[in-house]
Amino acid sequence: MCELLGMSANVPTDIRFSFSGLAVRGGQSGPHRDGFGVVFYRGKGIQEFRDDAASCQSPVADLVQALPIRSTAVIAHVRQANAGAVNLENTHPFHREFMGRHFTFAHNGQLPGVKKLRLGRFRPIGTTDSEHAFCYLMAELERFDRLPTVAQVKAAFGRAAKVLSGYGVCNLLLSDGRALYCWRTSKLVSITRRAPFGAARLEDADMTVDFAQVTTPKDVVTVVATAPLTDNECWTELPLKRACVLRAGEWH
Amino acid sequence: MCELLGMSANVPTDIRFSFSGLAVRGGQSGPHRDGFGVVFYRGKGIQEFRDDAASCQSPVADLVQALPIRSTAVIAHVRQANAGAVNLENTHPFHREFMGRHFTFAHNGQLPGVKKLRLGRFRPIGTTDSEHAFCYLMAELERFDRLPTVAQVKAAFGRAAKVLSGYGVCNLLLSDGRALYCWRTSKLVSITRRAPFGAARLEDADMTVDFAQVTTPKDVVTVVATAPLTDNECWTELPLKRACVLRAGEWH
């Protein structure tokens, strides 16, 4: 299994605190030592960092934890390989351009038999079930001949996720930079931080941040993860098998 | 204008020496301070690093120069913005998945009027002439209903590059991981290093490497760049307006 991390915020926000909590699970406090990846949206562009080494040992992951990248939408993933060899092309997140937008995707779970699903023009580069599932999801979007609205993406995402969930454990994060689309069949929790901000302490590392020191009263930031990343805050499970959408840190 | 760097090798090769020569031109010895990007192929996967900060100041560029990534195909670019704002989505290299392969592209030059060219399913995310040109090139590939051979990509690349060259300065690098495809209308030089290896000294930085110490007698590495990166080796101009292909370090 793997672990997911997503973020949506109404102002460009530094995700390093949460990423640090995830990264130590990549081979240190957790067994997810088969690579990691993170995609930051900045405007319509993305910055991505990935490695097929364990995130707790990768110099690329060290860099991400040292870089003050501020973003309004982030998807990250640490991998424990099940289907597909340990290599770069099998690391999440996957992304594709559609109608002039980067669509980015990460999956937690296993989907045996999912490769029977027919694809459109988007094809997997690696050999994971997850990337096949992503290409299947993208085929749902291919029906549009212009950039679909967030509501249209949500509906297509929900349709595809429902089919995919018939194959196994299917916790999904998708982003097009405008929104973060989430789907849970087993494990996916979230927390929304807003004023008055408090301090948060990582569960897996000796790190605390006082968000009151690094935010303004108007900031709203929601973090989604496979399991709670902090041990002094209350994380909420996402609804089961329902497409949920975050925009600017708020659920819609 | 911008500067290009490409590499093709028959064994996974460390490109840091050449990248260091390019990176100092990103705002220090050269005026190319509007971002940079580099894509490393490892198998069918890629590792990419990009920033909209000048490469001579970017912590991401520092990381690339510290990372011992070994690759058989690399495309890098430092940008001096002409068409299109300074932001992430306008940084080269651009890439798209087609038939289960990453296609990666970078351009040096200006192509006024190129946006008149009609595109297929691949659309620009940013606003540069260069990305429009790339999407036009990809439309040439879209005619294939399976992965085209290297010879077929070369032919399609040559057809597109000829049309694009009608719009202005058009020095191009394209890779699909199997080969590095090159096209010159003004500036693009190359050097092939093979046994017996000697020492090379960067033109723009106080750095020398003795390739004999870091290679085996069978290694063949070709580097392509906008301008020679070393001052004690003989670089050769690429032929004018002819699609040239490097595979495993050798011209084909």
Side-chain angles (χ1 to χ4, degrees):
Chain A
M1 300 292 275
C2 310
E3 292 217 22
L4 298 171
L5 171 65
M7 188 203 71
S8 169
N10 66 345
V11 289
T13 298
D14 185 338
I15 185 76
R16 283 180 289 177
F17 175 71
S18 297
F19 183 79
S20 297
L22 185 75
V24 291
R25 293 184 185 169
Q28 187 172 317
S29 66
H32 318 286
R33 49 171 58 260
D34 300 325
F36 81 97
V38 54
V39 167
F40 300 90
Y41 281 86
R42 283 170 51 208
K44 291 172 74 183
I46 59 175
Q47 245 170 327
E48 72 158 71
F49 300 90
R50 68 178 68 229
D51 203 348
D52 48 1
S55 58
C56 70
Q57 293 169 341
S58 164
V60 182
D62 290 346
L63 174 82
V64 173
Q65 290 169 77
L67 273 182
I69 297 178
R70 291 177 176 273
S71 170
T72 51
V74 176
I75 292 182
H77 183 270
V78 290
R79 180 165 183 241
Q80 184 185 6
N82 294 297
V86 177
N87 56 35
L88 269 185
E89 60 265 36
N90 285 343
T91 59
H92 308 220
F94 307 104
H95 52 77
R96 296 289 186 277
E97 174 270 320
F98 178 64
M99 294 292 165
R101 281 269 173 184
H102 287 292
F103 284 77
T104 300
F105 174 90
H107 166 232
N108 155 257
Q110 294 184 59
L111 300 169
V114 78
K115 291 184 183 176
K116 289 175 207 152
L117 287 175
R118 289 193 62 174
L119 304 179
R121 54 175 252 204
F122 294 101
R123 303 293 168 82
I125 293 168
T127 56
T128 60
D129 290 350
S130 304
E131 193 183 11
H132 194 96
F134 175 41
C135 293
Y136 173 77
L137 192 165
M138 290 304 294
E140 277 290 324
L141 293 179
E142 278 173 62
R143 302 175 185 193
F144 295 95
D145 57 8
R146 62 186 62 193
L147 182 68
T149 63
V150 169
Q152 288 171 323
V153 174
K154 178 185 180 182
F157 171 71
R159 279 194 303 276
K162 194 172 171 186
V163 173
L164 294 170
S165 298
Y167 289 86
V169 175
C170 188
N171 303 298
L172 305 178
L173 295 180
L174 174 77
S175 184
D176 54 16
R178 301 174 296 183
L180 183 68
Y181 310 86
C182 313
W183 178 271
R184 174 177 83 89
T185 69
S186 61
K187 292 197 287 185
L188 210 49
V189 295
S190 82
I191 190 163
T192 300
R193 298 186 182 117
R194 65 176 84 237
F197 289 95
R201 188 176 61 227
L202 284 187
E203 189 167 300
D204 298 75
D206 185 17
M207 193 186 293
T208 299
V209 71
D210 181 2
F211 288 112
Q213 302 295 320
V214 292
T215 50
T216 74
K218 288 182 179 173
D219 294 5
V220 180
V221 182
T222 297
V223 176
V224 180
T226 298
L229 292 167
T230 56
D231 60 9
N232 67 328
E233 295 178 301
C234 187
W235 294 68
T236 310
E237 270 199 332
L238 267 65
L240 200 64
K241 294 190 181 180
R242 209 170 80 205
C244 303
V245 177
L246 281 166
R247 290 193 83 165
E250 302 277 11
W251 292 106
H252 285 266
Chain B
M1 301 292 276
C2 311
E3 293 217 23
L4 298 171
L5 171 65
M7 188 203 71
S8 169
N10 66 345
V11 289
T13 297
D14 185 337
I15 186 76
R16 282 179 290 176
F17 175 71
S18 298
F19 183 80
S20 297
L22 185 76
V24 292
R25 293 186 184 167
Q28 187 171 317
S29 66
H32 318 285
R33 50 172 58 261
D34 299 326
F36 81 97
V38 54
V39 167
F40 299 90
Y41 281 87
R42 284 172 50 208
K44 292 172 73 184
I46 58 175
Q47 245 170 328
E48 72 158 71
F49 301 90
R50 68 178 68 229
D51 204 348
D52 49 1
S55 58
C56 70
Q57 293 169 342
S58 163
V60 183
D62 290 345
L63 173 82
V64 173
Q65 289 168 77
L67 272 183
I69 297 178
R70 291 176 177 274
S71 170
T72 52
V74 175
I75 292 183
H77 183 271
V78 290
R79 180 166 184 240
Q80 184 186 7
N82 294 297
V86 178
N87 57 35
L88 269 186
E89 59 264 37
N90 286 342
T91 59
H92 308 221
F94 306 104
H95 52 76
R96 296 289 186 277
E97 174 269 318
F98 178 64
M99 294 292 164
R101 280 267 172 184
H102 287 292
F103 284 76
T104 301
F105 173 90
H107 166 233
N108 154 258
Q110 294 183 60
L111 300 170
V114 78
K115 292 185 183 176
K116 290 174 207 152
L117 287 174
R118 288 195 61 175
L119 303 180
R121 53 175 251 201
F122 294 102
R123 303 293 168 81
I125 294 167
T127 56
T128 61
D129 290 349
S130 303
E131 193 183 10
H132 195 95
F134 175 41
C135 293
Y136 173 77
L137 192 165
M138 291 302 295
E140 277 290 325
L141 293 179
E142 278 174 61
R143 301 175 185 193
F144 295 96
D145 58 8
R146 61 186 64 193
L147 182 67
T149 64
V150 169
Q152 287 172 324
V153 175
K154 178 185 179 182
F157 171 70
R159 279 196 302 277
K162 196 173 171 184
V163 173
L164 295 170
S165 298
Y167 290 86
V169 175
C170 187
N171 303 298
L172 306 178
L173 295 180
L174 175 76
S175 184
D176 54 17
R178 301 174 298 182
L180 183 67
Y181 310 86
C182 313
W183 178 272
R184 175 177 82 89
T185 68
S186 61
K187 292 196 288 184
L188 211 49
V189 295
S190 82
I191 190 162
T192 300
R193 298 185 183 118
R194 65 176 83 237
F197 290 95
R201 189 177 59 228
L202 284 187
E203 189 168 302
D204 298 76
D206 184 18
M207 194 186 292
T208 300
V209 70
D210 180 3
F211 287 112
Q213 303 294 321
V214 292
T215 51
T216 73
K218 289 183 180 170
D219 294 5
V220 180
V221 181
T222 297
V223 175
V224 180
T226 297
L229 293 166
T230 56
D231 59 9
N232 67 329
E233 296 178 301
C234 186
W235 295 68
T236 310
E237 270 199 332
L238 268 63
L240 201 63
K241 294 190 182 179
R242 207 170 80 205
C244 303
V245 177
L246 280 165
R247 290 193 82 165
E250 303 278 10
W251 291 107
H252 284 268

